[in-house]
Amino acid sequence: MTNSLFDLTGRTALVTGSSKGIGSALARGLAEAGAAVVLNGRDQTALAEAAARLRDAVGTEVRTAAFDVTDPDAVQAAIEEIGPVDVLVNNTGVQHREPMLDVAVENWRRVIDTNLTSAFVVGRAVAAGMVERGHGKIVNVCSVQSWLARPGIAAYAASKGGLAMLTKGMCAEWASSGITVNGLAPGYVITELTRPLVEDPAFDAWIRGRTPAGRWATVADLVGTLVWLAAPASDFVNGQVIAVDGGLTAVI
């Protein structure tokens, strides 16, 4: 009985931005729980390589869908081609580190569009079918920067703060149709994008000292919470943003 609460067999899961990093790890976690996974990105070659690695590792159905998550027409066409999606993970994201007085408007818009508007565009396209079917799971990958700011990442923090509120707005509109929408908020995770920070002795020491767990997160640390949010075990959890941060947001 308990195992069935976390079983995703027969479900189709779309994970945006999943050719590498956090998205790739989340897609693997869903596949290991039994889901048929659809990987998304803009680079078809990178997607094909990621899909081959995932098939070799897990042995389940893996498809790819190359499209720009910020392009409404491309998103709609892709969702129609993919077919019914039971689980959507809005993971696509970019960072831009620069003092706010120096950030060009086009860079601000790029971060907001990629991190926030894409979740609206893809989420709405997928949710239309979920509403018709009366069930669905959406997980928006937020961040501890949904609540906390640091110098030099204003656009990113604004986008992730907006994503946390978009999560609540989606819940407010779609919960009555059997859809749960929650946020997964990682702390500082070791990925290709954060490698320069990990290798900076001063920043590494600051993160370890600032985090009660005394370490960075790994991508594997995020998988259990994602599977829970995607599975029947969380059917009455809605509109929440769950921090997976080693306690970073619990202390001052």
Side-chain angles (χ1 to χ4, degrees):
M1 175 61 179
T2 302
N3 287 344
S4 68
L5 291 175
F6 299 91
D7 185 6
L8 296 176
T9 302
R11 309 289 178 89
T12 296
L14 169 63
V15 184
T16 67
S18 49
S19 63
K20 60 183 179 180
I22 290 174
S24 177
L26 297 180
R28 176 168 178 165
L30 295 172
E32 289 176 340
V37 173
V38 182
L39 304 182
N40 158 261
R42 289 185 295 179
D43 185 335
Q44 182 58 61
T45 299
L47 283 175
E49 293 172 352
R53 290 193 300 269
L54 186 51
R55 289 190 197 100
D56 290 344
V58 183
T60 59
E61 178 186 354
V62 182
R63 291 186 285 160
T64 63
F67 62 91
D68 181 348
V69 293
T70 67
D71 181 339
D73 292 336
V75 168
Q76 189 60 46
I79 298 308
E80 291 175 2
E81 183 174 347
I82 291 168
V85 173
D86 303 292
V87 177
L88 168 65
V89 181
N90 281 313
N91 169 73
T92 300
V94 295
Q95 177 63 283
H96 184 83
R97 294 184 175 90
E98 190 175 24
M100 204 184 324
L101 292 178
D102 300 327
V103 175
V105 172
E106 57 265 31
N107 285 327
W108 171 274
R109 288 177 174 154
R110 178 176 65 90
V111 174
I112 298 297
D113 283 350
T114 304
N115 296 1
L116 176 57
T117 306
S118 70
F120 164 74
V121 171
V122 180
R124 189 169 64 168
V126 171
M130 291 179 171
V131 167
E132 289 181 3
R133 295 187 297 275
H135 68 86
K137 298 271 187 172
I138 298 175
V139 180
N140 296 323
V141 178
C142 299
S143 168
V144 293
Q145 265 79 48
S146 294
W147 308 290
L148 306 174
R150 278 181 53 78
I153 60 166
Y156 184 84
S159 72
K160 293 299 185 176
L163 187 57
M165 288 309 300
L166 178 63
T167 299
K168 295 179 182 295
M170 288 175 165
C171 165
E173 296 212 13
W174 300 331
S176 62
S177 297
I179 300 170
T180 68
V181 188
N182 292 290
L184 171 64
Y188 282 82
V189 186
I190 299 173
T191 67
E192 296 96 326
L193 293 177
T194 61
R195 180 58 60 182
L197 299 177
V198 176
E199 295 175 352
D200 179 333
F203 195 88
D204 176 61
W206 181 80
I207 286 294
R208 292 177 184 276
R210 177 69 178 79
T211 305
R215 65 174 178 86
W216 292 70
T218 67
V219 291
D221 289 319
L222 309 177
V223 171
T225 302
L226 173 71
V227 171
W228 169 58
L229 291 174
S234 63
D235 278 352
F236 207 60
V237 178
N238 217 338
Q240 305 305 304
V241 181
I242 311 298
V244 184
D245 63 357
L248 187 148
T249 53
V251 301
I252 59 173

